Amino acid sequence: MDDRQFRTAMGKFATGVTVIATDVDGDVHGMTANAFMSVSLDPKLVVISIGEKARILEKIKQSQTFSVNILAADQQELSMIFAGQLKEHREVEFDRLDGKPVLNGAVAQIACEVSTVHVEGDHTLFIGRVTDIHLEDAEPLIFYSGKYRALAEAVTV
Ligand code: FAD
């Protein structure tokens, strides 16, 4: 099994798209991520997985806080901005939820404090204790097989 086959297989798992954001001394940094999962209801915990080369890694270690912003269908451009896929720099405004930077218009804004950290291979897993949530009534952005998609109703049987 080579790296490409592993990536292709993992890309067959359709996901939403999030922007993880953190703040060090008032300087907000965001990164697009789909490695996000709910972990526990009591206490309320989530997990994100950050690659060892990502600049946001050291920033979350420093701030010990982050937000997860589940992007809406009309926020593909934000996903591309925070994945470094657009050439020119774009200014992005952040709102605040429980003091953490969050993106307006996201389907869900989830404010977290780092609970535990696990280094696994070339990624670091941050378990986040959820401190606040804000929801919007909007359709989510979808990512599948390396492409952005929109949600469609399943055919009823
Ligand atoms: P940088 O490369 O420093 O930043 C990324 C981009 O965000 C840059 O263009 C920067 O200018 C911009 N940016 C940052 N902060 C701001 C701000 N405040 N205002 C305006 N622009 C800003 N990687 C993972 O580690 N885990 C994942 O789960 C993951 N999932 C992904 C899912 C998708 C759908 C995609 C497309 C990519 C995913 N990536 C993931 C890859 C990751 O998004 C990129 O490798 C990213 O560029 C690495 O981020 P960085 O912290 O090094 O940030």
Side-chain angles (χ1 to χ4, degrees):
M1 186 214 316
D2 62 12
D3 290 359
R4 183 184 294 187
Q5 192 182 20
F6 182 80
R7 279 172 169 243
T8 303
M10 296 307 119
K12 298 296 178 195
F13 189 57
T15 65
V17 182
T18 78
V19 170
I20 309 297
T22 195
D23 176 341
V24 178
D25 300 330
D27 189 16
V28 177
H29 191 89
M31 189 196 88
T32 300
N34 62 351
F36 161 69
M37 189 178 79
S38 164
V39 171
S40 159
L41 185 62
D42 185 19
K44 292 180 180 54
L45 301 172
V46 297
V47 64
I48 56 169
S49 177
I50 307 287
E52 64 186 355
K53 292 188 182 137
R55 291 204 301 146
I56 201 169
L57 180 59
E58 286 309 315
K59 293 173 190 284
I60 296 177
K61 283 185 191 168
Q62 262 183 276
S63 69
Q64 290 294 300
T65 64
F66 61 89
S67 72
V68 180
N69 301 270
I70 301 177
L71 296 185
D74 63 358
Q75 292 183 313
Q76 182 181 328
E77 190 178 72
L78 283 177
S79 173
M80 295 177 77
I81 290 173
F82 290 105
Q85 293 171 332
L86 295 185
K87 280 188 187 135
E88 71 278 17
H89 178 78
R90 303 269 178 92
E91 285 300 318
V92 178
E93 288 232 355
F94 285 85
D95 217 336
R96 295 276 163 177
L97 179 71
D98 192 35
K100 285 88 180 169
V102 288
L103 287 170
N104 266 328
V107 173
Q109 303 168 340
I110 304 162
C112 300
E113 280 166 13
V114 173
S115 170
T116 46
V117 181
H118 306 267
V119 179
E120 297 293 345
D122 56 13
H123 276 59
T124 297
L125 308 182
F126 289 97
I127 307 288
R129 191 176 61 79
V130 177
T131 60
D132 207 350
I133 281 180
H134 175 79
L135 294 171
E136 293 281 340
D137 188 16
E139 291 284 293
L141 182 63
I142 304 295
F143 197 70
Y144 173 71
S145 251
K147 288 188 180 144
Y148 294 101
R149 316 266 178 153
L151 209 56
E153 295 277 340
V155 180
T156 42
V157 281

